[in-house]
């Protein structure tokens, strides 16, 4: 054996020597070769003078990173990283700012939400109903017939200073001729008269299954639709509205991703969704992926909601698509949300807990067997422990025949899960994906079940203590806001967006734990552990620089956080403030030209190009307000009042005392 190795070495040496002699006339100098090698191994980008929270326990803090080919090459001290720069390396000074791993949402309806984002006026983060109605009025004025104005998703009346939703009469006054559809979470929708006419609801329209068309004494629809017990009537009505053409949907999805980047989101798991068919409704995101225009890494679940056809759907899909197919930007993630089996167990605490159909177990078992045999993980929507318990009976039965070990399956939501169910999930190797529904519906939960029941709803801290895989997300765009900082605030403070203390401090979690639930812990749910979620050599170079220090700011300021810089794969997909010149991700203007996204932007934006919260932009916006023409209380403009020297410290209290809602910001 040693003779064989000696002969191989002799031939290698002779071959190398011959090649060197033959090519000596054209071989670059030794110094040139060294320079070329150094240049090829040099990082593409170095970020330095930052305060990096890496979430790498072996290297928790750093001041600089080197990035090459979309991954972190080196994470450490500036004095160690800066010398790695080559002639082509871009070097960026972070000016001492905090840096976090890019946030990853464990439950986001980005595919469906992207198709409609440009059509939707967002009240997310708006603190006054008067402001919200002002936005509506401005949007109605520029929306051409037969288009609707849609207000969808992540807001609640509890966030408003007025603590109420608009009345139908107020909607009709603002929009006598333009259809207005307001989807309030998943519990109700408000339609003005024009919208009722557009959808064709009359005295003769029959009551739909699973919902209620509220009527007046004469039997005419009032404009109020209620989910009783599920949101099918709300969805079905919303689906009657005009849709964007394909090219506009491409643009809309890019703007939704841009909005998420503005908030520091670099990845998400798409949970599928109602009226989201595969592969038809995935064509937009697929085209953007093919064109290299995704600015969010997306793992997607395939969703079925056709009663009695679920098994056939998954038989077809497991035969025509492959789990994990795709790349680091767009990857197949199995089945979900499996909502057909728990549709009545819905996101509406205004309704009493329903019992699942008696045939639920048998239908679910058929599907889970198909998935387990094909080694597809799944996610299952479940609000109440009663539903979780019944589903676990099915999973344990399947496990006896087809072991589930190694399948990263999980439950969503799990507000009232019991310790026994947590233990059963752990024993089967499953996970729990919590979302911040309680931040928006906590008041309704307390109203129905009491403050005591809300103290550990869901019991996040106990889940973590028991060692279950747990991560966090939003379930946006319809159940709650897509803003990750609302979730992080809720996890840390235990408060709703309306300020109610739901969770006592003993049941809350610290900021680092909450951040891990939004980063590294999500990767188990997309089967990407070790690939992303931390700022660590070898991992994908996804990070964000928040506009405030997450670990030092007041708890009350967490929810207002936005990004100054967001990077995905080492590319700047969002830049603001000092980092605006670095921005490489700006999409073309929102289409159509009357889109609410053009005028108002996204969460608490009011069209602010810097992406700052509403409260920080009111001074600039106020100059154009001329509130005397609208509210007839002040007799002067907002801008004049803001610039006045007032003998008080709290403007909110002062103007609230005057009784003017537009000042309750």
């Amino acid at each position: 054996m040693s003779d064989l190795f000696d002969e191989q070495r002799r031939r290698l040496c002779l071959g190398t020597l011959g090649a060197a002699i033959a090519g000596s006339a054209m071989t670059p100098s030794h110094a040139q070769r060294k320079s070329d090698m150094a240049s090829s191994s040099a990082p593409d980008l170095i970020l330095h003078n930052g305060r990096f929270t890496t979430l790498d326990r072996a290297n928790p803090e750093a001041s600089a990173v080197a990035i090459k080919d979309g991954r972190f090459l080196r994470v450490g001290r500036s004095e160690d990283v800066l010398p790695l720069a080559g002639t082509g390396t871009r070097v960026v000074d972070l000016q001492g700012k905090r840096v976090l791993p890019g946030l990853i949402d464990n439950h986001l309806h980005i595919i469906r939400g992207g198709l409609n984002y440009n059509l939707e006026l967002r009240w997310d983060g708006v603190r006054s109903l008067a402001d919200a109605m002002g936005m509506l009025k401005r949007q109605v004025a520029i929306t051409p017939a037969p288009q609707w104005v849609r207000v969808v998703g992540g807001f609640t009346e509890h966030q408003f200073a007025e603590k109420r939703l608009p009345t139908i009469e107020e909607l009709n006054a603002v929009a006598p001729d333009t259809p207005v559809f307001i989807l309030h979470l998943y519990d109700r929708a408000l339609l003005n008269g024009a919208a009722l006419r557009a959808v064709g609801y009359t005295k003769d329209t029959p009551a739909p299954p699973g919902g209620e068309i509220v009527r007046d004494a004469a039997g005419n629809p009032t404009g109020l639709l209620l989910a009783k017990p599920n949101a099918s009537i709300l969805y079905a009505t919303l689906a009657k509205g005009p849709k964007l053409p394909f090219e506009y949907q491409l643009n809309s999805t890019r703007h939704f991703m841009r909005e998420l980047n503005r908030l520091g989101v670099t990845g998400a798991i798409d949970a599928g969704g109602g009226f989201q068919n595969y592969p038809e409704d995935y064509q937009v995101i697929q085209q953007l992926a093919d064109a290299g225009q995704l600015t969010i890494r997306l793992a997607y679940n395939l969703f079925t909601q056709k009663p009695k056809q679920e098994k056939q759907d998954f038989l077809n899909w497991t035969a025509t698509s492959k789990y994990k197919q795709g790349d680091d930007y767009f990857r197949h993630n199995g089945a979900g949300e499996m909502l057909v089996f728990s549709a009545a167990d819905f996101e509406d605490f205004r309704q009493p807990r329903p019992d699942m159909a008696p045939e639920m177990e048998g239908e679910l078992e058929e599907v889970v067997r198909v998935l387990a045999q094909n080694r597809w993980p799944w996610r299952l929507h479940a609000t109440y422990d009663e539903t979780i318990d019944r589903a676990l009976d099915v999973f344990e039965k399947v496990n006896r025949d087809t072991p589930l070990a190694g399948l990263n399956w999980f439950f969503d939501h799990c507000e009232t899960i019991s310790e026994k169910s947590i233990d059963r999930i752990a024993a089967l190797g499953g996970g729990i994906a919590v979302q911040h529904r309680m931040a928006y519906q906590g008041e309704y939960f307390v109203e129905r079940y009491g403050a005591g029941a809300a103290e550990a709803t869901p019991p996040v801290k106990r889940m973590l203590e028991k060692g279950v895989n747990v991560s966090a997300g939003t379930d946006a765009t319809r159940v709650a806001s897509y803003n990750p900082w609302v979730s992080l605030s809720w996890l840390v403070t235990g408060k709703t967006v309306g300020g109610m203390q739901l969770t006592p401090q003993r049941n809350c979690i610290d900021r680092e734990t909450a951040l891990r639930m939004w980063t590294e812990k999500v990767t188990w749910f997309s089967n990407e552990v070790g690939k992303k979620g931390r700022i660590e050599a070898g991992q994908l170079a996804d990070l964000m620089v928040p506009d405030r220090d997450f670990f030092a700011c007041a708890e009350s300021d967490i929810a207002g956080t936005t990004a100054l810089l967001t990077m995905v794969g080492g590319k700047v997909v969002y830049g603001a403030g000092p980092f605006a010149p670095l921005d490489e991700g700006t999409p073309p203007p929102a289409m159509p030209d009357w889109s609410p996204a053009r005028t108002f932007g996204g969460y608490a934006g009011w069209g602010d190009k810097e992406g700052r919260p509403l409260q920080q932009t009111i001074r600039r916006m106020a100059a154009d307000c001329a509130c005397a023409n609208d509210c007839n209380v002040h007799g002067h403009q907002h801008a004049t009042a803001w610039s006045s020297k007032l003998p008080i410290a709290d403007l909110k209290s002062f103007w609230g005392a005057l009784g003017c809602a537009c000042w309750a910001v």
Side-chain angles (χ1 to χ4, degrees), residues 432-606:
I432 300 171
V434 299
Q435 289 86 45
H436 63 178
R437 183 198 306 170
M438 288 293 288
Y440 290 86
Q441 294 201 36
E443 287 85 355
Y444 310 143
F445 186 93
V446 169
E447 186 178 310
R448 179 167 292 281
Y449 299 109
E455 289 188 351
T457 302
V460 174
K461 192 171 185 178
R462 195 70 180 121
M463 295 172 186
L464 292 166
E465 290 170 348
K466 285 179 168 289
V468 179
N469 295 295
V470 189
S471 66
T474 62
D475 198 2
T477 56
R478 298 178 180 177
V479 171
S481 174
Y482 51 74
N483 187 344
W485 302 99
V486 174
S487 170
L488 286 159
S489 174
W490 164 71
L491 288 167
V492 170
T493 68
K495 292 182 179 180
T496 69
V497 296
M500 175 182 282
Q501 187 71 54
L502 285 176
T503 310
Q505 198 57 49
R506 67 179 183 277
N507 291 339
C508 294
I509 59 177
D510 62 80
R511 299 191 196 199
E512 181 179 324
T513 302
L515 181 62
R516 289 183 184 275
M517 288 178 61
W518 264 93
T519 51
E520 64 171 7
K521 288 186 174 293
V522 185
T523 62
W524 181 89
F525 295 76
S526 59
N527 217 318
E528 295 173 291
V529 174
K531 182 176 284 189
K532 61 184 183 182
R534 296 192 295 272
I535 300 175
E536 181 180 323
Q539 294 211 6
L540 295 167
D542 304 343
L543 58 80
M544 63 90 57
V545 177
D547 66 350
R548 64 205 69 187
D549 189 337
F550 172 65
F551 290 102
C553 71
E555 287 186 346
S556 58
D557 288 342
I558 293 174
T561 303
T562 59
L564 293 174
L565 179 73
T566 304
M567 300 187 72
V568 180
K571 180 182 178 181
V572 178
V573 296
Y574 181 81
F579 306 113
L582 304 176
D583 196 343
E584 303 171 63
T586 305
M591 301 163 61
D593 58 9
W594 51 266
S595 166
R598 279 202 184 191
T599 307
F600 301 107
Y603 185 95
W606 273 70

Side-chain angles (χ1 to χ4, degrees), residues 10 60 133 203 234 237 244 246 263 276 319 374 403 495 510 588 607 649:
R10 186 182 69 82
M133 291 298 288
K203 187 176 183 178
L234 312 183
T237 306
L244 291 174
F246 187 82
L263 296 167
Q276 183 174 311
N374 284 277
K495 292 182 179 180
D510 62 80

Side-chain angles (χ1 to χ4, degrees), residues 106 314 317:
N106 73 20
F314 284 118
W317 290 345

Side-chain angles (χ1 to χ4, degrees), residues 17 63 129 155 215 227 256 394 440 492 503-504 510 650-651 663:
L17 179 61
S63 58
L129 179 61
F155 73 96
R215 304 173 189 273
F256 188 28
V394 173
Y440 290 86
V492 170
T503 310
D510 62 80
D650 186 351
L651 288 176
W663 281 101

Side-chain angles (χ1 to χ4, degrees), residues 398-428:
V398 173
N399 182 62
R400 289 193 284 270
D401 304 322
T402 309
L404 304 184
L407 285 183
N408 292 15
W409 64 269
F410 55 96
F411 285 103
D412 283 297
H413 305 299
C414 295
E415 274 80 5
T416 69
I417 190 170
S418 66
E419 293 214 9
K420 180 182 177 182
S421 292
I422 297 172
D423 291 336
R424 293 171 73 188
I425 293 170
L428 286 173

Side-chain angles (χ1 to χ4, degrees), residues 4 107 531:
L4 176 62
H107 188 147
K531 182 176 284 189

